[in-house]
Amino acid sequence: MIFEEKKGERFQKVIKYDKQMPAIFDFGDLDANGERITYSILGELRDSFFTSEKNETVSRFYFDEIAFLAGNIQKRNGSKYARVDAKFKKSIDGFLDNLRNVHYLVPKLDKRIPLFATLAKDSQEKFIEVKISEEIYQREVLDDFGNVLVPEKRVIDLFNSINWADSQYLEFGRKIHNSLKSKYSMRLYHLLAEFRSTGRIIKSSKYIEEDILKLNAPGKLKNRNAIIDKAVEELSELKNEKGDKIFEFINVTKVGTKKDYQYRFDFSKFTLDLPRNVKESSGGVEKVLKKNQPEYFRANFQIQDEFSNEPYNIIDITEEYALILTQVQEVNTKLKDEHLTKFERTELEKTRRLFISVLSKI
DNA sequence: CTTATCTATATATGGCCGTA
DNA sequence: TACGGCCATATATAGATAAG
C-alpha cells in the first residue's frame, strides 16, 4: 500500500516523556524494530488527554502507519511505501507480547499497575488499539500543614502534561531515533537525551549495563565494551535530515576499580536532533547510489533568475552540476548579508548569474 | 596466582534491497 | 506482495592479557 508522505505529517516529530518513566516501566529487551515501534507509539499517545469517563478512548494504529512511524519504509520511483512484510508483522507481535506484560510493581503494596489498559490487535483489519493506563501509581503525599509534598501521579501523566515546563522530561526526534540501526544505540541515545544540556553523565555500571542497555546475559556482559563502542560510534556519526552532525564528540570512560566502577560519558551538548531546532534550508543536494548505475545527484529545490519567471526545478543531475548548485546556494546565503559592500554584492551577483546560466542549459 | 576483562573468531538471526 | 541473496548485527566461545 502506498503511504503518502503528507499523511505522515500528522504524526509527532518528537518523542517526549517524563524522566521517571524508564525507572517505572521496563520495556524489556526489545529488538531494534520493537524499540522503534514502542517509542513511536508512546510518542503518538503523548498529550492525548484521555478521559476515564464512559466514552473510553483508544487510539488505533494501522499496520502501515506503524511501519511508517517506525521508519520501515521502502522508496520506489521517488515514492515512499510503508513496508508491512511478514518480518515487520513479527515485530508488531513482539511489541505486543513484550508490552502486554510491562507493569509497575508498587513498592510495599502487592500491586501491579500495567502500562497499557488496552493493547489489542486486529489481524483481519490490520490495526492495533492502544490505551495507556490511567491508574494512580503514586499517591499524593501531604505534609503536616496540608501542603503537597508529592503530587498524585497517574501512568498517563508520564506522557501527558498540560505544561511540560512544569515537569522533568526528556525528548528526542522520532525520525532520527528510528534511523539508528542497533537497539543499543537507541537506548544510549535515550540516556544522552536526558542529559542533552549537561553533556556529562556519571552512572554506576549496574545502571548503564542492566537498566539502560539491558545486558542481561553473560555473553552480552562479556561483550559490553564492544557493544558500547559500537553504539557510541553510531551515535557519533548520527546526522539529522539536513546532514548536521548531532554530536561533536562522545567520550566514554570507566572510573573506579575494575570490580566497582562507574561509566562516565562526556559529550557535546546537543539540540540538532530536535526538528524544531533545524533551520529550514533552501534545499539540498543528495548523492544517489544505485547498483549497476552511474552515481548521480538529486537536488531538491528551485532556483530562479532575473530573466525568467519560471523557476528551474532541478531533480537528477551529475556531480559537476551538483557542485555548481551547491555554490549557487552559498552565493545566495552570502547575498543575504546586509553588510556587503556594493562591490562585493555586484561580484556575487555576477557569479550567481554565471552559475545559473550554466544550470539553465541542463 | 586467580579472576575478570579483552580480543578475535564463529555462527545465528534479522534487516535491506532488488526482482519477480 | 513474496522471495531470496547479501550484509550487518547479536550472541557465544576460547585463548590472551591485565588487574588485584
Side-chain angles (χ1 to χ4, degrees):
Chain A
M1 183 193 283
I2 290 186
F3 201 103
E4 299 149 38
E5 201 172 4
K6 288 238 163 147
K7 207 172 161 188
E9 290 300 311
R10 67 191 169 87
F11 292 130
Q12 294 280 11
K13 290 187 170 61
V14 169
I15 295 165
K16 190 166 172 177
Y17 49 85
D18 195 297
K19 280 183 183 177
Q20 280 193 322
M21 195 276 284
I24 294 169
F25 293 108
D26 182 359
F27 298 161
D29 190 15
L30 292 156
D31 64 11
N33 253 336
E35 292 272 339
R36 293 185 190 106
I37 294 171
T38 306
Y39 282 93
S40 300
I41 286 178
L42 287 173
E44 287 306 303
L45 297 177
R46 157 159 73 85
D47 295 337
S48 304
F49 300 109
F50 299 129
T51 55
S52 53
E53 298 307 316
K54 278 170 190 166
N55 35 347
E56 288 279 307
T57 321
V58 294
S59 299
R60 181 177 288 191
F61 296 95
Y62 288 90
F63 287 3
D64 63 337
E65 291 176 324
I66 301 172
F68 190 86
L69 275 167
N72 209 50
I73 290 163
Q74 188 176 8
K75 284 181 200 169
R76 204 192 305 157
N77 304 329
S79 307
K80 288 179 179 177
Y81 297 77
R83 194 208 320 271
V84 187
D85 51 12
K87 284 171 184 170
F88 189 72
K89 284 179 189 163
K90 206 177 148 193
S91 292
I92 293 177
D93 286 339
F95 153 76
L96 292 168
D97 290 345
N98 272 288
L99 273 288
R100 270 189 192 121
N101 296 320
V102 170
H103 65 271
Y104 174 51
L105 197 62
V106 185
K108 290 172 192 168
L109 300 171
D110 189 23
K111 197 180 175 195
R112 291 157 58 101
I113 295 180
L115 171 56
F116 288 104
T118 305
L119 198 56
K121 182 177 84 160
D122 188 322
S123 306
Q124 211 78 48
E125 299 298 322
K126 296 179 180 171
F127 63 76
I128 64 167
E129 284 191 327
V130 188
K131 183 179 186 297
I132 301 184
S133 165
E134 293 182 22
E135 282 192 59
I136 295 161
Y137 72 90
Q138 180 184 281
R139 281 181 305 167
E140 188 178 57
V141 179
L142 304 174
D143 68 7
D144 295 341
F145 306 99
N147 301 314
V148 178
L149 281 180
V150 182
E152 175 184 285
K153 270 205 160 183
R154 301 171 304 154
V155 175
I156 188 98
D157 296 333
L158 294 166
F159 302 95
N160 278 8
S161 178
I162 304 287
N163 182 10
W164 280 101
D166 292 341
S167 45
Q168 294 266 312
Y169 64 89
L170 71 99
E171 59 181 344
F172 47 82
R174 172 175 56 80
K175 271 194 185 174
I176 206 164
H177 170 261
N178 291 345
S179 76
L180 290 164
K181 286 177 184 166
S182 105
K183 56 184 179 183
Y184 302 116
S185 307
M186 287 184 249
R187 290 170 190 173
L188 206 52
Y189 177 45
H190 305 158
L191 176 72
L192 298 191
E194 189 179 339
F195 298 90
R196 60 168 66 243
S197 56
T198 313
R200 176 176 297 178
I201 301 170
I202 300 174
K203 294 281 181 186
S204 72
S205 55
K206 184 197 165 294
Y207 179 72
I208 299 298
E209 293 167 1
E210 293 177 28
D211 299 345
I212 297 293
L213 298 174
K214 303 182 202 305
L215 305 178
N216 48 12
K220 296 180 195 178
L221 218 44
K222 274 196 164 189
N223 281 324
R224 68 192 116 203
N225 287 352
I227 288 171
I228 292 170
D229 286 351
K230 200 117 194 239
V232 167
E233 194 189 318
E234 193 183 5
L235 287 172
S236 300
E237 296 304 315
L238 187 62
K239 288 175 183 164
N240 62 24
E241 282 184 273
K242 198 183 150 198
D244 305 314
K245 256 190 155 189
I246 307 303
F247 297 97
E248 283 166 42
F249 65 90
I250 306 173
N251 292 322
V252 189
T253 44
K254 287 177 184 174
V255 286
T257 63
K258 207 135 210 199
K259 234 182 153 70
D260 181 22
Y261 58 94
Q262 295 85 43
Y263 282 93
R264 174 174 165 161
F265 295 83
D266 291 286
F267 51 96
S268 49
K269 297 171 188 176
F270 60 102
T271 55
L272 292 177
D273 57 327
L274 298 170
R276 65 168 178 274
N277 295 326
V278 181
K279 289 191 188 104
E280 285 295 320
S281 72
S282 55
V285 181
E286 175 198 7
K287 196 176 194 172
V288 179
L289 286 171
K290 281 188 181 172
K291 256 187 188 172
N292 308 323
Q293 274 186 35
E295 70 181 32
Y296 63 92
F297 290 75
R298 177 160 293 165
N300 174 31
F301 70 105
Q302 299 177 333
I303 54 167
Q304 193 163 11
D305 68 24
E306 65 257 58
F307 307 114
S308 161
N309 289 327
E310 286 299 307
Y312 303 109
N313 234 334
I314 295 171
I315 307 298
D316 294 341
I317 48 177
T318 62
E319 180 167 12
E320 186 194 350
Y321 286 123
L323 200 65
I324 296 171
L325 209 44
T326 311
Q327 284 171 308
V328 173
Q329 278 182 287
E330 280 170 19
V331 172
N332 279 341
T333 311
K334 282 181 189 165
L335 276 167
K336 281 177 191 158
D337 185 352
E338 289 169 10
H339 306 294
L340 287 175
T341 65
K342 204 169 183 182
F343 174 73
E344 286 168 333
R345 185 168 293 277
T346 318
E347 285 301 303
L348 281 170
E349 278 169 355
K350 217 188 283 177
T351 312
R352 184 173 184 275
R353 221 171 293 138
L354 177 70
F355 285 146
I356 289 183
S357 70
V358 176
L359 290 172
S360 59
K361 285 169 194 149
I362 296 176

